[in-house]
């Protein structure tokens, strides 16, 4: 490595996007990654023939940065059906977007998730959000911007202010949006809710056939193989050099810290980043509990599992032939015997057959996403006053979109400085 390389600390989506953007602009780059592989929080494992994403994750095809940064066709994306299967009183009720799946209009109208007025309000909310550009929905930040005149308040407060009943908030919005945003109390800014709900209306929820790991793998493949160094933990960083845990000092033309929020705060001395935790339990079964390709939502409000997905229904490549892979997501829950908690709850849904499911793996993710409570300020500065650079979803939005976008705009800032 030469001293004119830009040093990127972290090989998650933000760091890889920053690195590939710099490399393709002709700027040498070296990525230092503390773990043994790329992806950060977006990684997958192979266990007994199953593909296990580290936590229940999906990508949203409406994210514009995915189309900018990735070869979407090469990812072989496998789509969930739009909407959700809300499980309550021993049966599932289909709740979908009638504009995208007209055949679900009747089932959605009859689903016991709220009043007819609640469902009309969903249609109005969908129309309202689709009339506002996503950049204005998220608003805020050091660069200004608006959010379409919508107050920055907690998601739960925004839903109540829009007239939604406690019933539909508990049975539909909490397990759906609370699951996506790891926010079971719906305390996050309504700005993030607005953007996510808009993205769900505009595109599909998908996973690559090879697992979510395929996303960072594709980014990393655009870099020279020698440019990524694994098992290389950085303990200190200046504007032009880093120190590793082994005491090595590595100099470069610029330093970008692209770690997850808490690590970036420690390394750079920035204000702490709040963490939203999550647990995920994977089970294998000979018989699947449902053939639906929708996410199954907890319509009881009991928890702690908010949503379940039969991953092999969506992506058959996630399980060996004749087997089924079931992911149970527990947003906000990391402690305790998660497999036992999930099995106990799902036994109430699907009966004693759940006892025959085999536990494949449990993931505990203390930092699944950065906190995004009001006042929410995305698009934070990526160049610090001392000359160091920082990127990650904690500088924009807690999402694949936010991580990649942050990495790209950080690369542009580094290139402009090196100009």
């Amino acid at each position: 490595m030469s001293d004119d390389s830009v040093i990127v600390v972290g090989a998650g989506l933000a760091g890889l996007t920053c690195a590939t953007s710099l490399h393709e602009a002709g700027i040498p780059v070296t990525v230092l990654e503390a773990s043994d592989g790329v992806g950060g929080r977006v990684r997958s494992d192979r266990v007994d023939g199953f593909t296990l994403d580290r936590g229940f994750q999906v990508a949203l095809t409406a994210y514009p940065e995915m189309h900018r940064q990735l070869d979407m066709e090469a990812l072989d994306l496998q789509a969930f059906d739009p909407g959700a299967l809300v499980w309550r009183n021993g049966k599932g009720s289909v709740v979908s977007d009638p504009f995208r799946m007209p055949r679900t209009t009747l089932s959605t109208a009859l689903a016991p998730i709220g009043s007819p007025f609640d469902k009309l309000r969903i249609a109005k909310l969908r129309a309202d959000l689709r009339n506002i550009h996503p950049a204005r929905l998220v608003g805020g930040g050091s660069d200004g911007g608006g959010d379409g005149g919508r107050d920055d308040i907690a998601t739960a407060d925004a839903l109540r202010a829009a007239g939604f009943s406690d019933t539909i908030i508990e049975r539909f919005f909490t397990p759906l949006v609370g699951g996506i945003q790891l926010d079971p109390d719906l305390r996050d800014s309504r700005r993030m809710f607005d953007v996510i709900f808009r993205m769900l209306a505009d595109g599909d929820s998908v996973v690559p056939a090879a697992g979510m790991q395929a996303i960072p793998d594709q980014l990393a493949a655009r870099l020279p193989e020698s440019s990524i160094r694994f098992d290389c933990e950085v303990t200190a960083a200046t504007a032009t050099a880093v120190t590793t845990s082994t005491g090595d000092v590595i100099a470069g033309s610029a330093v970008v810290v692209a770690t997850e929020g808490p690590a970036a705060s420690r390394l750079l001395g920035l204000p702490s980043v709040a963490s939203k935790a999550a647990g995920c339990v994977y089970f294998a079964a000979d018989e699947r509990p449902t053939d639906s390709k929708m996410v199954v939502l907890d319509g009881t409000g009991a928890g702690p599992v908010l949503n379940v997905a039969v991953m092999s229904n969506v992506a058959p490549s996630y399980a060996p032939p004749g087997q089924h892979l079931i992911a149970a997501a527990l947003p906000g829950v990391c402690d305790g015997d998660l497999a036992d908690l999930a099995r106990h709850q799902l036994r109430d849904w699907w009966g004693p057959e759940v006892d025959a499911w085999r536990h494949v793996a449990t993931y505990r993710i203390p930092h699944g996403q950065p906190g995004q409570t009001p006042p929410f300020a995305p698009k934070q500065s990526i160049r610090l006053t001392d000359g160091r650079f920082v990127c990650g979803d904690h500088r924009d939005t807690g999402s694949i979109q936010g991580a990649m976008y942050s990495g790209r705009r950080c690369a542009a800032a580094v290139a402009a400085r090196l100009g």
Side-chain angles (χ1 to χ4, degrees):
M1 177 188 138
S2 61
D3 287 355
D4 63 349
S5 287
V6 174
I7 301 170
V8 177
V9 183
L13 296 187
L16 291 172
T17 302
C18 180
T20 56
S21 298
L22 289 169
H23 171 68
E24 289 165 3
I27 299 173
V29 63
T30 296
V31 181
L32 306 180
E33 169 55 40
S35 74
D36 61 356
V38 300
R41 283 163 284 156
V42 183
R43 294 188 65 177
S44 307
D45 298 311
R46 291 285 292 178
V47 178
D48 298 333
F50 294 95
T51 298
L52 310 180
D53 298 324
R54 295 189 182 180
F56 176 54
Q57 303 179 42
V58 299
L60 303 182
T61 60
Y63 285 152
E65 205 65 26
M66 287 188 63
H67 296 268
R68 180 187 291 266
Q69 301 295 339
L70 301 169
D71 181 342
M72 299 287 277
E73 184 175 355
L75 289 173
D76 191 13
L77 297 170
Q78 310 291 299
F80 289 77
D81 282 344
L85 188 65
V86 180
W87 207 268
R88 182 175 173 80
N89 296 330
K91 63 179 181 179
S93 301
V94 172
V95 178
S96 188
D97 184 345
F99 295 96
R100 298 183 62 195
M101 294 184 69
R103 61 184 174 82
T104 66
T105 300
L106 181 60
S107 62
T108 300
L110 296 176
I113 61 168
S115 71
F117 295 106
D118 282 324
K119 293 162 188 175
L120 289 173
R121 290 185 184 100
I122 290 179
K124 181 179 185 303
L125 177 64
R126 178 188 187 276
D128 289 346
L129 294 179
R130 297 196 79 209
N131 282 328
I132 304 172
H133 192 280
R136 290 187 63 216
L137 287 176
V138 75
S142 60
D143 291 359
D147 61 353
R150 311 170 87 83
D151 294 335
D152 185 15
I153 58 178
T155 296
D157 294 335
L159 291 171
R160 292 189 181 96
F164 289 104
S165 70
D166 288 344
T167 298
I168 198 167
I169 292 173
E170 177 184 279
R171 297 182 186 178
F172 179 68
F173 287 112
T174 292
L176 177 66
V177 182
I180 294 172
Q181 296 185 231
L182 308 185
D183 180 29
D185 296 320
L186 301 186
R187 294 175 180 171
D188 273 0
S189 167
R190 66 92 49 79
R191 289 176 174 170
M192 271 307 298
F193 165 82
D194 288 347
V195 169
I196 293 296
F197 205 76
R198 164 72 186 264
M199 296 296 100
L200 291 172
D202 285 354
D204 291 320
S205 301
V206 298
V207 293
M212 292 293 286
Q213 181 78 53
I215 294 175
D217 283 351
Q218 190 183 106
L219 290 170
R222 289 160 49 188
L223 294 169
E225 186 175 348
S226 61
S227 65
I228 304 179
R229 292 173 57 178
F230 297 112
D231 301 311
C232 187
E233 180 184 4
V234 171
T235 57
T238 69
T240 55
V242 300
T243 303
T244 71
S245 58
T246 58
D248 294 332
V249 176
I250 304 173
S253 58
V255 171
V256 176
V257 173
T259 61
E260 62 183 27
S265 296
R266 291 191 298 270
L267 198 55
L268 297 171
L270 297 174
S272 62
V273 173
S275 296
K276 293 187 289 185
C280 179
V281 181
Y282 285 101
F283 295 104
D286 297 329
E287 301 292 335
R288 55 191 176 184
T290 172
D291 62 1
S292 178
K293 293 175 66 174
M294 291 181 171
V295 173
V296 186
L297 304 182
D298 173 26
T300 68
V305 174
L306 287 194
N307 45 64
V308 174
V310 182
M311 298 303 300
S312 46
N313 287 350
V314 179
S317 53
Y318 268 54
Q323 296 289 301
H324 301 283
L325 180 66
I326 301 150
L330 300 83
V333 181
C334 263
D335 299 328
D337 188 335
L338 302 189
D340 186 64
L341 289 170
R343 197 187 296 273
H344 178 78
Q345 180 180 346
L346 300 184
R347 190 183 297 116
D348 290 338
W349 292 17
W350 288 306
E353 68 183 72
V354 172
D355 292 332
W357 293 358
R358 301 180 303 284
H359 175 235
V360 181
T362 293
Y363 290 93
R364 304 173 192 271
I365 306 110
H367 181 79
Q369 291 182 22
Q372 299 171 117
T373 54
F376 178 47
K379 206 171 182 183
Q380 297 182 47
S381 175
I382 41 76
R383 184 174 182 180
L384 305 182
T385 55
D386 61 5
R388 295 177 296 181
F389 293 86
V390 57
C391 61
D393 61 352
H394 53 99
R395 309 305 289 179
D396 280 280
T397 60
S399 62
I400 289 174
Q401 165 70 21
M404 288 183 167
Y405 175 62
S406 177
R408 176 168 65 88
R409 69 185 184 93
C410 189
V414 172
R417 199 207 88 176
L418 298 178

